[in-house]
Amino acid sequence: MNYLSTRGNAPTLRFSDILLGGLASDGGLYVPEAYPRFTTAELAAMRGMNYRELAFEVLSRLIDDIAHDDLRALIGKTYTAEIYRYVTDQENPADITPLKTLEPGLHILALSNGPTLAFKDMAMQLLGNLFEYALANSPSAKATGGKLNILGATSGDTGSAAEYAMRGKHGVRVFMLSPEHGMTRFQQAQMYALQDANIHNLVIRGVFDQCQDIVKAVSNDLDFKTGHRIGAVNSINWARVAAQSVYYFKAYFAATHSNDQEVSFSVPSGNFGNVCAGHIARQMGLPIKKLIVATNENDVLDEFFRTGVYRPRPQTKHTSSPSMDISKASNFERFVFDLSGRDAAKIRQLWAAVESGGSFDLKADGLFDRVANFGMASGSSSHANRMDTIRTVYEVYGTMIDPHTADGLKVGLEHREPGVPLVCMETAQPAKFEDAIREALGVDPVRPAELADLEAQPQKKHVMDVDVEAVKRYIAEHAR
Ligand SMILES: *Cc1c(COP(=O)(O)O)cnc(C)c1O
């Protein structure tokens, strides 16, 4: 299985080559040369498999340069009931991603039982194990000393998921920039309470955008970047998207009794990583009816799926679903590549407009008509919608959901069709967003007992000014 760039001007690579990298050298994103497709018989055999078996079945089609026994072992130590242990009520921990049924045909897929209580753990935990394995085994990584320094900026969920996935991993260090203000106390404590020697929390006296600018400036210094073996774990990482496609299969089999049925999925979306994984599952043959892209007030994706115009915004709005506060969707290019019939020249043209601050309109050139073939739908929610949904779900079904999941449920219900099971992706547990829950319900969300005194634990962090050179110095001193 080879991977090629959506922009057509970068070398074709294997999975292990793109695992540690970010963008392709031509600025595009790597995608499989062709999607492997499960036959009807193969899909029938997958029904009844547990999470680990399904993960191997799906990922071994996309990863053919890691020995099967090794891949099985990496999957085996990632998807355990011990790691995904924060299961709530009625759930079966051995399931990894239990399906909660609100009423017949309406479900929530519990994806937030991992260490940081958000769905990003689903892929990031595997990434940690894949990185450690590749650093020790791949010839190109060994040639450069088998070390990787991950540099990133976080507004909350990505940073903690990355740190919990990489803590204690051989050859990997994490330098994570977070803004002094803007994250919840719980999110801060999750990261800063980690005492592992390979985890460095750099708290920047500024806002998230400034953290991101510093990361860009450091990464643009190519000598520094190569010299210190700087890598990233952002949401365009192909391995993350691939790992996320597994739970679409798991949910599909849990929500149906026969492979003749179709299922629709509603996905709280920001960078289009999660819903892109659903698109891939469908390309691999999973009978998905609709993929419903749910956005908040930052509705660049909803606008596209309604109008055909993709118009990244100069600024993000701060909302009560902060993990979806994005102005452009970094994984969207993978979908448009498929929509265009894999036309790399077209992608170069479209993203040249985007990268110079503009937009594009696929209705004008007819491509937008094809969206229907891909079964996409969309919608958005306001703060009031999310609060109402949290209240209704609590009152009617006795289930507490977080503001991101509420966004997905609100938009999903607008597209629900009789006879088609609807699965809404739970992207975080309510405990992560206490203020929003208190506002909606007047009560505190339940928190796993183990995390009861999280904010009181000693914190390890390094507070710094908005200063690129100071960040570089810190990395240089600690990345030996
Ligand atoms: C990251 C995140 C999202 C958005 O996921 P994308 O893959 O970027 O679309 C939604 N909800 C929560 C809680 C998240 O952490």
Side-chain angles (χ1 to χ4, degrees):
M1 164 68 67
N2 287 319
Y3 287 85
L4 45 82
S5 165
T6 48
R7 301 202 190 166
N9 287 334
T12 296
L13 296 173
R14 306 286 295 277
F15 177 83
S16 297
D17 303 317
I18 59 171
L19 172 65
L20 301 174
L23 288 176
S25 57
D26 60 359
L29 276 65
Y30 275 105
V31 290
E33 207 162 41
Y35 294 109
R37 212 173 156 86
F38 291 111
T39 63
T40 310
E42 284 166 342
L43 276 179
M46 287 160 77
R47 183 173 283 279
M49 284 187 181
N50 68 26
Y51 199 93
R52 285 177 293 280
E53 291 163 340
L54 271 180
F56 178 77
E57 214 47 45
V58 174
L59 293 173
S60 60
R61 305 293 174 108
L62 298 166
I63 306 173
D64 62 357
D65 56 351
I66 293 179
H68 275 186
D69 286 348
D70 291 350
L71 182 61
R72 215 185 283 276
L74 291 168
I75 288 170
K77 76 174 179 182
T78 302
Y79 297 109
T80 68
E82 157 65 14
I83 289 177
Y84 298 93
R85 68 177 172 282
Y86 296 128
V87 288
T88 46
D89 43 10
Q90 12 115 2
E91 299 172 4
N92 170 14
D95 248 352
I96 309 297
T97 60
L99 192 72
K100 301 187 211 184
T101 298
L102 297 181
E103 62 179 50
L106 179 62
H107 314 274
I108 290 180
L109 186 67
L111 295 174
S112 309
N113 297 327
T116 74
L117 306 185
F119 85 103
K120 291 193 171 66
D121 291 327
M122 291 305 303
M124 205 71 93
Q125 287 287 321
L126 181 67
L127 202 64
N129 287 323
L130 284 169
F131 275 13
E132 190 176 52
Y133 176 86
L135 288 169
N137 294 288
S138 108
S140 59
K142 275 201 278 198
T144 59
K147 298 266 189 287
L148 179 69
N149 293 303
I150 292 167
L151 174 65
T154 187
S155 57
D157 293 337
T158 310
S160 54
E163 292 187 353
Y164 280 78
M166 304 298 162
R167 61 189 297 205
K169 292 281 184 284
H170 295 291
V172 185
R173 273 191 214 92
V174 179
F175 298 90
M176 190 58 65
L177 278 57
S178 53
E180 192 168 29
H181 304 290
M183 301 198 303
T184 67
R185 283 186 68 228
F186 182 85
Q187 285 177 316
Q188 292 179 338
Q190 265 189 320
M191 294 175 59
Y192 308 156
L194 290 177
Q195 300 296 329
D196 306 74
N198 71 329
I199 302 295
H200 299 267
N201 282 304
L202 306 186
V203 180
I204 304 297
R205 294 193 184 94
V207 295
F208 170 65
D209 289 338
Q210 291 172 301
C211 298
Q212 220 170 14
D213 289 343
I214 296 174
V215 169
K216 274 188 207 145
V218 175
S219 307
N220 286 341
D221 180 343
L222 287 185
D223 288 341
F224 187 89
K225 190 178 172 197
T226 344
H228 291 95
R229 301 187 193 100
I230 305 283
V233 289
N234 46 24
S235 78
I236 54 145
N237 185 292
W238 167 255
R240 283 181 62 183
V241 178
Q244 289 177 158
S245 65
V246 173
Y247 52 69
Y248 283 86
F249 286 85
K250 185 72 169 57
Y252 172 82
F253 294 122
T256 57
H257 41 78
S258 137
N259 291 4
D260 297 331
Q261 288 176 278
E262 287 185 312
V263 170
S264 290
F265 290 92
S266 178
V267 190
S269 295
N271 273 318
F272 204 79
N274 199 357
V275 68
C276 188
H279 166 68
I280 288 151
R282 192 211 309 262
Q283 299 304 310
M284 292 178 79
L286 193 66
I288 295 177
K289 180 81 193 279
K290 270 189 199 149
L291 285 171
I292 303 158
V293 181
T295 72
N296 62 19
E297 293 87 339
N298 296 285
D299 59 351
V300 49
L301 288 168
D302 178 37
E303 181 177 75
F304 172 79
F305 285 106
R306 279 185 296 105
T307 67
V309 175
Y310 182 62
R311 189 174 56 94
R313 312 294 149 87
Q315 215 127 44
T316 50
K317 294 179 191 152
H318 294 281
T319 75
S320 53
S321 44
S323 305
M324 295 156 53
D325 292 350
I326 54 96
S327 51
K328 60 175 195 290
S330 48
N331 267 295
F332 185 53
E333 186 171 334
R334 289 193 160 109
F335 174 76
V336 179
F337 183 62
D338 288 340
L339 185 70
S340 74
R342 310 204 119 201
D343 182 347
K346 183 80 200 170
I347 297 299
R348 286 199 298 276
Q349 175 210 326
L350 296 174
W351 260 267
V354 166
E355 282 166 7
S356 59
S359 59
F360 59 72
D361 180 354
L362 294 190
K363 202 167 239 163
D365 64 11
L367 272 186
F368 189 62
D369 296 339
R370 298 191 195 165
V371 167
N373 307 339
F374 288 84
M376 306 297 290
S378 76
S380 68
S381 72
S382 66
H383 176 71
N385 294 149
R386 293 187 291 276
M387 293 294 122
D388 282 347
T389 306
I390 292 172
R391 269 191 292 273
T392 308
V393 170
Y394 194 59
E395 279 160 18
V396 177
Y397 305 108
T399 298
M400 205 186 273
I401 57 173
D402 96 292
H404 304 78
T405 309
D407 166 85
L409 199 62
K410 183 259 178 192
V411 175
L413 287 172
E414 291 168 356
H415 293 281
R416 192 178 180 191
E417 295 165 275
V420 182
L422 175 66
V423 174
C424 298
M425 300 305 202
E426 171 213 71
T427 54
Q429 284 203 25
K432 263 194 127 155
F433 301 95
E434 282 176 345
D435 291 349
I437 299 301
R438 228 175 274 133
E439 181 184 336
L441 302 176
V443 298
D444 281 341
V446 273
R447 198 191 265 206
E450 234 175 283
L451 305 176
D453 69 340
L454 184 67
E455 288 93 331
Q457 288 169 21
Q459 300 193 346
K460 190 181 90 156
K461 61 184 178 184
H462 188 77
V463 183
M464 312 178 75
D465 288 330
V466 182
D467 180 347
V468 175
E469 292 309 316
V471 169
K472 279 190 192 167
R473 271 198 305 280
Y474 184 94
I475 295 173
E477 276 163 26
H478 294 86
R480 297 222 178 82

